[in-house]
Short mmCIF file of all heavy atoms in Angstrom, two decimals:
data_model
loop_
_atom_site.label_atom_id
_atom_site.label_comp_id
_atom_site.label_asym_id
_atom_site.label_seq_id
_atom_site.Cartn_x
_atom_site.Cartn_y
_atom_site.Cartn_z
N SER B 14 -67.47 -41.56 -34.69
CA SER B 14 -67.19 -40.29 -34.01
C SER B 14 -65.95 -40.42 -33.12
O SER B 14 -65.25 -39.44 -32.88
CB SER B 14 -68.39 -39.84 -33.19
OG SER B 14 -68.73 -40.82 -32.24
N LEU B 15 -65.66 -41.63 -32.68
CA LEU B 15 -64.45 -41.85 -31.88
C LEU B 15 -63.22 -41.58 -32.71
O LEU B 15 -62.24 -41.02 -32.24
CB LEU B 15 -64.50 -43.28 -31.34
CG LEU B 15 -63.30 -44.07 -30.91
CD1 LEU B 15 -63.80 -45.21 -30.07
CD2 LEU B 15 -62.57 -44.71 -32.01
N MET B 16 -63.27 -41.96 -33.99
CA MET B 16 -62.11 -41.73 -34.85
C MET B 16 -61.87 -40.24 -35.04
O MET B 16 -60.73 -39.77 -35.07
CB MET B 16 -62.31 -42.41 -36.20
CG MET B 16 -62.20 -43.92 -36.11
SD MET B 16 -62.62 -44.77 -37.64
CE MET B 16 -61.20 -44.44 -38.65
N VAL B 17 -62.97 -39.49 -35.16
CA VAL B 17 -62.82 -38.04 -35.31
C VAL B 17 -62.32 -37.43 -34.01
O VAL B 17 -61.42 -36.60 -33.99
CB VAL B 17 -64.18 -37.39 -35.68
CG1 VAL B 17 -64.03 -35.89 -35.73
CG2 VAL B 17 -64.67 -37.92 -36.99
N ALA B 18 -62.91 -37.88 -32.90
CA ALA B 18 -62.54 -37.32 -31.60
C ALA B 18 -61.08 -37.59 -31.27
O ALA B 18 -60.44 -36.81 -30.58
CB ALA B 18 -63.44 -37.89 -30.52
N SER B 19 -60.58 -38.73 -31.74
CA SER B 19 -59.21 -39.09 -31.39
C SER B 19 -58.17 -38.38 -32.23
O SER B 19 -57.01 -38.35 -31.86
CB SER B 19 -59.00 -40.59 -31.59
OG SER B 19 -60.00 -41.31 -30.96
N THR B 20 -58.60 -37.83 -33.37
CA THR B 20 -57.61 -37.26 -34.28
C THR B 20 -56.72 -36.19 -33.66
O THR B 20 -55.51 -36.23 -33.84
CB THR B 20 -58.31 -36.72 -35.56
OG1 THR B 20 -58.99 -37.79 -36.17
CG2 THR B 20 -57.31 -36.14 -36.52
N PRO B 21 -57.27 -35.21 -32.91
CA PRO B 21 -56.37 -34.22 -32.32
C PRO B 21 -55.30 -34.85 -31.43
O PRO B 21 -54.12 -34.53 -31.55
CB PRO B 21 -57.30 -33.34 -31.48
CG PRO B 21 -58.64 -33.50 -32.11
CD PRO B 21 -58.69 -34.89 -32.64
N ILE B 22 -55.70 -35.76 -30.54
CA ILE B 22 -54.70 -36.36 -29.65
C ILE B 22 -53.76 -37.26 -30.44
O ILE B 22 -52.57 -37.37 -30.11
CB ILE B 22 -55.31 -37.24 -28.54
CG1 ILE B 22 -56.61 -36.68 -28.01
CG2 ILE B 22 -54.33 -37.36 -27.41
CD1 ILE B 22 -57.14 -37.51 -26.88
N LEU B 23 -54.27 -37.91 -31.47
CA LEU B 23 -53.43 -38.77 -32.28
C LEU B 23 -52.30 -37.97 -32.90
O LEU B 23 -51.13 -38.34 -32.85
CB LEU B 23 -54.28 -39.42 -33.38
CG LEU B 23 -53.57 -40.45 -34.26
CD1 LEU B 23 -53.09 -41.60 -33.42
CD2 LEU B 23 -54.50 -40.96 -35.34
N LEU B 24 -52.65 -36.81 -33.46
CA LEU B 24 -51.64 -35.96 -34.08
C LEU B 24 -50.63 -35.49 -33.05
O LEU B 24 -49.42 -35.56 -33.27
CB LEU B 24 -52.32 -34.76 -34.75
CG LEU B 24 -53.04 -35.08 -36.06
CD1 LEU B 24 -53.97 -33.95 -36.46
CD2 LEU B 24 -52.01 -35.32 -37.17
N ALA B 25 -51.12 -35.02 -31.91
CA ALA B 25 -50.20 -34.51 -30.89
C ALA B 25 -49.29 -35.62 -30.37
O ALA B 25 -48.10 -35.42 -30.16
CB ALA B 25 -50.98 -33.88 -29.74
N SER B 26 -49.87 -36.82 -30.18
CA SER B 26 -49.06 -37.91 -29.62
C SER B 26 -47.98 -38.38 -30.57
O SER B 26 -46.87 -38.67 -30.15
CB SER B 26 -49.91 -39.14 -29.29
OG SER B 26 -51.08 -38.79 -28.68
N ILE B 27 -48.31 -38.51 -31.85
CA ILE B 27 -47.32 -39.05 -32.76
C ILE B 27 -46.15 -38.06 -32.89
O ILE B 27 -45.00 -38.44 -33.00
CB ILE B 27 -47.94 -39.40 -34.15
CG1 ILE B 27 -47.00 -40.33 -34.92
CG2 ILE B 27 -48.25 -38.18 -34.97
CD1 ILE B 27 -46.93 -41.72 -34.36
N GLY B 28 -46.47 -36.76 -32.80
CA GLY B 28 -45.41 -35.75 -32.82
C GLY B 28 -44.53 -35.88 -31.59
O GLY B 28 -43.30 -35.88 -31.69
N GLU B 29 -45.14 -36.01 -30.42
CA GLU B 29 -44.37 -36.12 -29.18
C GLU B 29 -43.58 -37.42 -29.14
O GLU B 29 -42.49 -37.49 -28.56
CB GLU B 29 -45.31 -36.03 -27.97
CG GLU B 29 -44.63 -36.19 -26.62
CD GLU B 29 -43.71 -35.03 -26.24
OE1 GLU B 29 -43.76 -33.99 -26.91
OE2 GLU B 29 -42.94 -35.18 -25.28
N LEU B 30 -44.10 -38.47 -29.78
CA LEU B 30 -43.35 -39.72 -29.85
C LEU B 30 -42.01 -39.50 -30.53
O LEU B 30 -40.97 -39.97 -30.05
CB LEU B 30 -44.14 -40.79 -30.63
CG LEU B 30 -43.37 -42.08 -30.87
CD1 LEU B 30 -43.85 -43.16 -29.98
CD2 LEU B 30 -43.43 -42.51 -32.30
N VAL B 31 -42.04 -38.79 -31.64
CA VAL B 31 -40.79 -38.53 -32.37
C VAL B 31 -39.84 -37.72 -31.49
O VAL B 31 -38.64 -38.01 -31.41
CB VAL B 31 -41.08 -37.79 -33.69
CG1 VAL B 31 -39.79 -37.32 -34.33
CG2 VAL B 31 -41.84 -38.69 -34.64
N VAL B 32 -40.38 -36.72 -30.80
CA VAL B 32 -39.54 -35.90 -29.93
C VAL B 32 -38.88 -36.76 -28.85
O VAL B 32 -37.68 -36.68 -28.61
CB VAL B 32 -40.37 -34.78 -29.26
CG1 VAL B 32 -39.53 -33.98 -28.29
CG2 VAL B 32 -40.96 -33.86 -30.30
N GLU B 33 -39.69 -37.61 -28.21
CA GLU B 33 -39.14 -38.42 -27.12
C GLU B 33 -38.20 -39.49 -27.64
O GLU B 33 -37.23 -39.85 -26.98
CB GLU B 33 -40.28 -39.03 -26.29
CG GLU B 33 -41.04 -37.96 -25.53
CD GLU B 33 -41.98 -38.50 -24.47
OE1 GLU B 33 -41.85 -39.69 -24.12
OE2 GLU B 33 -42.84 -37.74 -24.02
N LYS B 34 -38.46 -39.99 -28.84
CA LYS B 34 -37.54 -40.97 -29.42
C LYS B 34 -36.16 -40.36 -29.63
O LYS B 34 -35.16 -41.05 -29.65
CB LYS B 34 -38.06 -41.46 -30.79
CG LYS B 34 -38.95 -42.66 -30.72
CD LYS B 34 -38.20 -43.89 -30.28
CE LYS B 34 -38.89 -45.16 -30.68
NZ LYS B 34 -38.28 -46.33 -30.05
N SER B 35 -36.13 -39.04 -29.82
CA SER B 35 -34.82 -38.40 -30.01
C SER B 35 -34.20 -38.03 -28.67
O SER B 35 -33.13 -37.44 -28.62
CB SER B 35 -34.95 -37.15 -30.88
OG SER B 35 -35.46 -36.07 -30.12
N GLY B 36 -34.88 -38.36 -27.59
CA GLY B 36 -34.29 -38.18 -26.26
C GLY B 36 -34.72 -36.92 -25.52
O GLY B 36 -34.11 -36.57 -24.52
N VAL B 37 -35.77 -36.25 -25.99
CA VAL B 37 -36.20 -35.01 -25.34
C VAL B 37 -37.61 -35.18 -24.81
O VAL B 37 -38.47 -35.76 -25.47
CB VAL B 37 -36.19 -33.84 -26.36
CG1 VAL B 37 -36.71 -32.58 -25.72
CG2 VAL B 37 -34.80 -33.62 -26.89
N LEU B 38 -37.84 -34.68 -23.57
CA LEU B 38 -39.19 -34.71 -23.02
C LEU B 38 -39.77 -33.31 -23.12
O LEU B 38 -39.31 -32.39 -22.46
CB LEU B 38 -39.12 -35.16 -21.55
CG LEU B 38 -40.46 -35.21 -20.82
CD1 LEU B 38 -41.33 -36.30 -21.40
CD2 LEU B 38 -40.23 -35.45 -19.34
#
Side-chain angles (χ1 to χ4, degrees):
Chain B
S14 59
L15 157 163
M16 288 173 74
V17 176
S19 310
T20 301
I22 323 183
L23 185 61
L24 285 165
S26 317
I27 197 71
E29 177 69 12
L30 173 105
V31 171
V32 177
E33 292 192 15
K34 270 292 201 190
S35 79
V37 176
L38 179 67

